[in-house]
Structures are given as structure tokens and as C-alpha cells.
Amino acid sequence: ITLRVQGHRSPGVARVMAWASWPGFPPQNRVIVPLLAGGLWIRGHRLEAGFQLAAWSNAVLSTIVKSVTRRPRPLPSQVAVVMAPLGGSSFPSGHVLTYVGVYGFAAYLAQRLVERPAARRLVVGGLVGLVALVGPSRIYQGHHWPTDVAASYLLGLSSLIGVTTAYRRLKRVG
């Protein structure tokens, strides 16, 4: 699967894949979520800001699972690897797991909070597109195995369902 995904080499595809992964690397991955939550807070969406930060906990979940599994990352002798500041275990994909939580919840909030239909479609579509692209980008760049990515989407979706369910219950009560 990795070799097939990597078989579509072109400068345009490489740029899109690099762009999709970029928000997951430091320092931007430590700035984007506080900015999202801060923007929600400033606009008076206090509960939503708190839950946006809670959705970020997928990054912690990734760290915990990585420390247990310690699966080696793909090597250049196995697949083409784009050099990046990586360390740690390959399983699960921290990018995918974090994106599903952070950008998945942001898309959910945008669907609920953005009033103008055209703007709502644009924001939700962009966020969902980013979540959809990050998995293939991690495989394309040779940073993860397809099973790392698939498991991360499943684990991230489970966590996202939990966060959105808790948010909806608290929103209904309060």
C-alpha cells in the first residue's frame, strides 16, 4: 500500500502532502489549538473553547500508545522517506490521531456555530478535507505504515465521538 501511495510522485502532490502534514509539526502544532480555543473564548463560546482543548487530548493518547507499542518507523531501505524532525514510535500516527480530535471537533463546532451556509460549507469542508488528507500524507511521506494511519483514524474517531457526546450533553444541561 505504501509503495502504491508513493507511486504518485509529482511536485504538486508532494506540496499538497507536505501542506497537509505541516500543522502537525512543532511549533505550529503547539500554537494552533490554543489560538482556536482562544478565538472561541473571545467570541463568548466558553464551553466550546474548553471542549476544543479537550479534543486536543488525542495528542496525549498518541504519546501513551506510542510508549507502549514502540513500533519502528518505516526506513528508507523499505520505502521513500521525506526527511522530517521525527522521533519515537510509528504506531499510532500522532498527526492523524490529533487531527481527528482537533480538526474533527472544530468541524463539528463550525457546523453548529457558523451561521452563513456558504461560509459553513467552506470551513467544514476545509477542516474535514485536512483530516482526510493527513493520513495519506503520512504514508506518502514515508513516516507511517498504512496500519498506523488506519488505527489512528479509528481511535481518533472513537475519541471524537466521546468528546462530541460529552459536549452535547453539557450543552443541553447548561
Side-chain angles (χ1 to χ4, degrees):
I1 294 171
T2 299
L3 295 176
R4 184 162 266 244
V5 169
Q6 290 187 339
H8 301 285
R9 292 276 174 199
S10 77
V13 171
R15 275 192 299 278
V16 168
M17 295 300 165
W19 172 84
S21 285
W22 182 83
F25 288 111
Q28 54 274 15
N29 68 344
R30 294 180 180 103
V31 174
I32 293 170
V33 179
L35 286 175
L36 277 172
L40 288 165
W41 184 272
I42 289 168
R43 296 187 54 87
H45 300 290
R46 308 278 198 269
L47 181 64
E48 290 78 3
F51 271 90
Q52 185 64 67
L53 291 173
W56 197 16
S57 68
N58 276 7
V60 175
L61 179 60
S62 170
T63 302
I64 292 167
V65 175
K66 281 178 182 285
S67 72
V68 172
T69 60
R70 296 185 180 160
R71 181 180 191 186
R73 290 186 181 274
L75 298 172
S77 61
Q78 299 164 314
V79 299
V81 177
V82 174
M83 298 311 286
L86 299 174
S89 173
S90 180
F91 184 90
S93 168
H95 273 72
V96 173
L97 195 49
T98 302
Y99 279 41
V100 172
V102 169
Y103 301 115
F105 189 72
Y108 172 78
L109 287 180
Q111 180 65 33
R112 293 181 55 100
L113 300 175
V114 177
E115 293 176 10
R116 292 189 5 231
R120 182 174 50 244
R121 281 191 298 274
L122 182 66
V123 172
V124 172
L127 291 166
V128 169
L130 183 59
V131 172
L133 272 176
V134 73
S137 80
R138 307 309 293 144
I139 297 167
Y140 182 87
Q141 294 180 325
H143 298 164
H144 288 282
W145 298 108
T147 51
D148 302 338
V149 169
S152 298
Y153 275 122
L154 292 172
L155 187 55
L157 183 58
S158 299
S159 176
L160 179 60
I161 289 168
V163 170
T164 55
T165 299
Y167 166 77
R168 287 193 345 247
R169 286 185 181 157
L170 275 176
K171 189 75 171 172
R172 217 177 8 244
V173 170

